[in-house]
């Protein structure tokens, strides 16, 4: 990881939306970037100085599962470890003794990023909003 001073903390959905729109769906409005379950999710942000430079949302599902949605990091910091640090921090904070899995739908170019964090692909690829994705899962407890 590059020598970047950063911090990670819980943030609001309202804080996440400009990041999602800018880096995931610039053609959509912020309102269109809201997903089902966002209002009850836990949102984390990574800050470089006092600038929010990335975010990820964790949806709390029934059956002892969580889902990661809408991971976005500013292009100027991609590949420097901020996304990994953000997700590792959030997963550590959200692991409970009864957690069985965390899953997400990954954009195909991001598969190796998630594999390095312990996720495995499941099933076939599919399209969401014209973006090819694949489901990835991390089982708990981690052995």
């Amino acid at each position: 990881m590059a020598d970047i001073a950063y911090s990670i903390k819980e943030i609001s959905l309202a804080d996440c939306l400009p990041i999602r729109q800018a880096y995931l769906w610039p053609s959509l409005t912020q309102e269109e970037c809201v997903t089902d379950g966002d209002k009850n999710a836990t949102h984390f942000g990574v800050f470089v100085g006092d600038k929010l430079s990335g975010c990820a949302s964790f949806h709390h599902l029934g059956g002892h599962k969580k889902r990661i949605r809408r991971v976005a990091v500013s292009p100027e910091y991609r590949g420097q470890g901020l996304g990994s640090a953000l997700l590792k921090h959030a997963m550590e904070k959200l692991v409970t003794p009864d957690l069985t899995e965390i899953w997400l739908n990954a954009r195909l170019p991001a598969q190796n990023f998630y594999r390095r964090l312990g996720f495995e692909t499941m099933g076939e690829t599919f399209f969401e909003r014209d973006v090819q994705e694949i489901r990835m899962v991390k089982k708990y407890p981690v052995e």
Side-chain angles (χ1 to χ4, degrees):
M1 177 158 165
D3 263 346
I4 297 173
Y6 67 90
S7 61
I8 298 168
K9 63 182 180 180
E10 272 191 51
I11 60 174
S12 70
L13 173 59
D15 292 332
C16 277
L17 292 177
I19 298 289
R20 283 185 189 174
Q21 180 190 33
Y23 307 134
L24 297 177
W25 297 301
S27 64
L28 300 180
T29 66
Q30 286 186 23
E31 186 175 285
E32 291 171 318
C33 293
V34 174
T35 61
D36 291 340
D38 264 339
K39 289 181 176 40
N40 297 317
T42 303
H43 309 280
F44 289 90
V46 60
F47 293 80
V48 175
D50 61 357
K51 180 184 175 199
L52 181 60
S53 300
C55 66
S57 300
F58 285 74
H59 291 229
H60 309 282
L61 310 174
H64 312 294
K65 298 178 182 181
K66 295 191 187 319
R67 179 180 181 188
I68 300 173
R69 298 200 77 183
R70 313 306 178 221
V71 178
V73 174
S74 168
E76 67 189 294
Y77 297 114
R78 289 183 193 153
Q80 299 182 51
L82 292 183
S84 294
L86 172 64
L87 290 181
K88 287 176 184 176
H89 175 88
M91 288 188 291
E92 287 173 12
K93 292 283 186 194
L94 296 174
V95 169
T96 57
D98 62 345
L99 182 67
T100 59
E101 73 179 42
I102 296 177
W103 66 275
L104 56 93
N105 294 333
R107 292 176 180 211
L108 293 190
Q111 286 180 84
N112 287 333
F113 168 78
Y114 292 111
R115 278 193 188 100
R116 288 190 298 272
L117 294 170
F119 288 84
E120 297 179 5
T121 57
M122 295 191 67
E124 302 297 320
T125 63
F126 58 92
F127 285 88
E128 182 178 336
R129 289 188 179 160
D130 298 327
V131 176
Q132 194 171 15
E133 299 184 350
I134 191 162
R135 180 167 291 192
M136 298 188 78
V137 177
K138 182 173 183 172
K139 298 287 187 178
Y140 286 86
V142 177
E143 298 174 6

